[in-house]
Amino acid sequence: MHRRQKPSAPEHKRDLAAHGGALSMSHNDTRSFFNFSQLVLAAGHLRSPPVLKHSKVTYFEVEILDVQSKKQICIVDKVPPSSTLLDVKHKFHKACPQWYPSRVGLQLERNGPYLKDSINIQSLAVSSIITLYFTDLGQQVGWTTFFLTEYTGPLLIYLLFYIRLSTIYDQVESTKNFRHPVVHLACFCHCLHYIRHLLETLFVHKFSGGHTPLKNMIKGCAFYWGFTSWIAYYINHPRYTPPSFGHRQVSFAALAFLMCEAGNHFINVALAHQNHSGSKACFPSPTYNPFTWLFLLVSCPNYTYEVGSWISFAVMTQTLPVGIFAFLMIIQMSLWAQKKHKLYLKRFYPEVRRKAAMIPIIF
């Protein structure tokens, strides 16, 4: 019988090592695959990077037609939605240099109102093409220039008559006749009135519109400058006679004039700064200042005080030209007050509905 030989010890160990190594390698591969699977599951689904979407901006084309002939003047293209009408006017000026922006009047309809420069162009759009009608407003001037020119003239003209130029009055008669104190007082009051207007134009008033036609400034200057010449000629004339009731009439009229001037100034300040936040959402209310209490009775107290100043000046000087000028100012101020009162009724109906426009009960 043959006996089965046992492998030697070194060979036996080598076989076991080889078998065990194979098993360990298989086990390590399994663990590595398992760990990789867990990592993929924990990371979630693989996503492709997001695709950037480019936002599309819609531009408008503004077709500008002549208001009379309806002929096309030009097309302003590539107008962004955020543009204002003033931006369109500037582009229109580049295409047609003879019409600068302040001279251009644009309307949605031929008989419609002129659109404001601050209006957003997108609010006018029904489609990508906007049709506007053009009107040449003529030569324009700024409101500040308008009022400075209108008020500087009377100030200087009155002083020329006050010094009694030899080209205006007889020099011998001027030196012979004594000047009544009311002549000096009238010069002071007249200068104070127009200096106040000039300072308020520069530092108080805030003008909503940028320009006005040049012809309006010519009309205003002709009115104020012409009446100032007529008034100053009579008051500073060497043969001027003082008021009938003398010192008492002059004193009361001068006091009323100064009160009206002060009231007019405080009302203009209140209108310019209706509240500390600067918004104009509510009608101005009276403050601790007594001159603003007139807001309780009328909606346009600045016109009330303006008329009061000229009536007081007419009583103080007792001259026909001042009386006629005061009468015309009453008519003009009442028309302006009625127009503004209607606007106030639309915006501030509960606060204004029981108030008069300029003079309580009458207007």
Side-chain angles (χ1 to χ4, degrees):
M1 294 179 64
H2 298 281
R3 290 185 178 180
R4 191 175 181 181
Q5 295 181 354
K6 294 182 180 180
S8 62
E11 291 178 359
H12 180 67
K13 289 180 180 179
R14 188 168 54 247
D15 294 338
L16 288 176
H19 184 68
L23 289 175
S24 64
M25 288 178 62
S26 176
H27 182 67
N28 288 337
D29 292 340
T30 305
R31 287 186 62 183
S32 299
F33 180 75
F34 177 77
N35 291 336
F36 179 74
S37 302
Q38 291 294 327
L39 181 63
V40 171
L41 292 175
H45 299 289
L46 296 177
R47 297 180 180 178
S48 59
V51 179
L52 296 177
K53 296 181 179 180
H54 298 282
S55 58
K56 296 182 179 179
V57 179
T58 303
Y59 291 95
F60 296 101
E61 289 186 357
V62 181
E63 181 187 25
I64 300 180
L65 308 179
D66 183 77
V67 71
Q68 300 294 336
S69 61
K70 295 185 181 181
K71 292 182 179 180
Q72 184 185 96
I73 300 176
C74 74
I75 292 180
V76 180
D77 57 352
K78 294 184 179 180
V79 179
S82 59
S83 299
T84 61
L85 199 68
L86 183 60
D87 298 328
V88 175
K89 288 183 177 182
H90 281 291
K91 291 187 176 182
F92 177 63
H93 173 58
K94 290 182 179 179
C96 304
Q98 67 270 29
W99 293 306
Y100 49 91
S102 61
R103 188 168 181 163
V104 176
L106 297 177
Q107 305 160 275
L108 271 178
E109 300 175 356
R110 296 182 66 188
N111 297 324
Y114 293 114
L115 301 173
K116 294 183 178 180
D117 291 344
S118 59
I119 194 170
N120 190 280
I121 199 67
Q122 192 172 13
S123 63
L124 304 175
V126 180
S127 63
S128 60
I129 300 177
I130 304 172
T131 301
L132 298 176
Y133 293 95
F134 161 75
T135 301
D136 183 9
L137 300 178
Q139 293 187 358
Q140 304 287 303
V141 293
W143 280 111
T144 302
T145 305
F146 176 90
F147 286 114
L148 290 179
T149 306
E150 191 175 69
Y151 296 143
T152 304
L155 180 63
L156 299 178
I157 290 172
Y158 196 97
L159 291 175
L160 291 177
F161 283 90
Y162 176 73
I163 62 178
R164 290 183 176 179
L165 294 176
S166 57
T167 56
I168 302 176
Y169 303 112
D170 182 72
Q171 196 67 21
V172 177
E173 193 174 16
S174 298
T175 54
K176 185 191 304 182
N177 293 349
F178 171 74
R179 290 198 189 192
H180 194 274
V182 71
V183 176
H184 304 291
L185 182 61
C187 180
F188 169 78
C189 292
H190 191 275
C191 292
L192 176 67
H193 178 79
Y194 284 102
I195 289 174
R196 178 185 63 80
H197 273 304
L198 291 172
L199 293 177
E200 288 177 353
T201 300
L202 293 173
F203 304 109
V204 177
H205 292 303
K206 298 177 181 179
F207 303 108
S208 56
H211 300 83
T212 185
L214 178 62
K215 61 182 180 181
N216 289 345
M217 189 179 76
I218 295 175
K219 291 179 182 178
C221 290
F223 177 77
Y224 280 98
W225 294 15
F227 262 102
T228 299
S229 302
W230 192 23
I231 291 170
Y233 177 80
Y234 270 82
I235 296 176
N236 296 286
H237 198 281
R239 298 181 182 180
Y240 169 75
T241 55
S244 303
F245 296 95
H247 180 71
R248 181 178 298 180
Q249 178 179 343
V250 173
S251 300
F252 280 110
L255 180 61
F257 177 87
L258 294 176
M259 290 181 63
C260 289
E261 287 295 303
N264 202 340
H265 171 70
F266 288 120
I267 292 298
N268 288 331
V269 172
L271 291 174
H273 307 89
Q274 292 187 1
N275 52 49
H276 295 291
S277 62
S279 86
K280 299 183 179 180
C282 58
F283 187 77
S285 58
T287 63
Y288 61 89
N289 189 338
F291 290 102
T292 64
W293 294 352
L294 199 57
F295 273 121
L296 297 172
L297 301 176
V298 296
S299 60
C300 303
N302 52 327
Y303 295 148
T304 308
Y305 282 123
E306 183 75 13
V307 168
S309 294
W310 285 111
I311 293 176
S312 302
F313 194 76
V315 174
M316 180 177 63
T317 58
Q318 194 173 314
T319 54
L320 180 63
V322 182
I324 295 176
F325 183 76
F327 177 73
L328 294 178
M329 290 297 288
I330 292 174
I331 296 175
Q332 182 63 72
M333 294 292 169
S334 63
L335 294 176
W336 287 345
Q338 288 289 339
K339 184 178 180 180
K340 189 171 288 188
H341 186 70
K342 291 179 181 179
L343 295 176
Y344 285 155
L345 285 175
K346 294 179 180 179
R347 296 182 59 190
F348 317 112
Y349 176 72
E351 297 94 336
V352 186
R353 62 190 178 96
R354 293 185 178 181
K355 298 177 183 179
M358 188 180 74
I359 300 177
I361 301 173
I362 299 176
F363 295 108

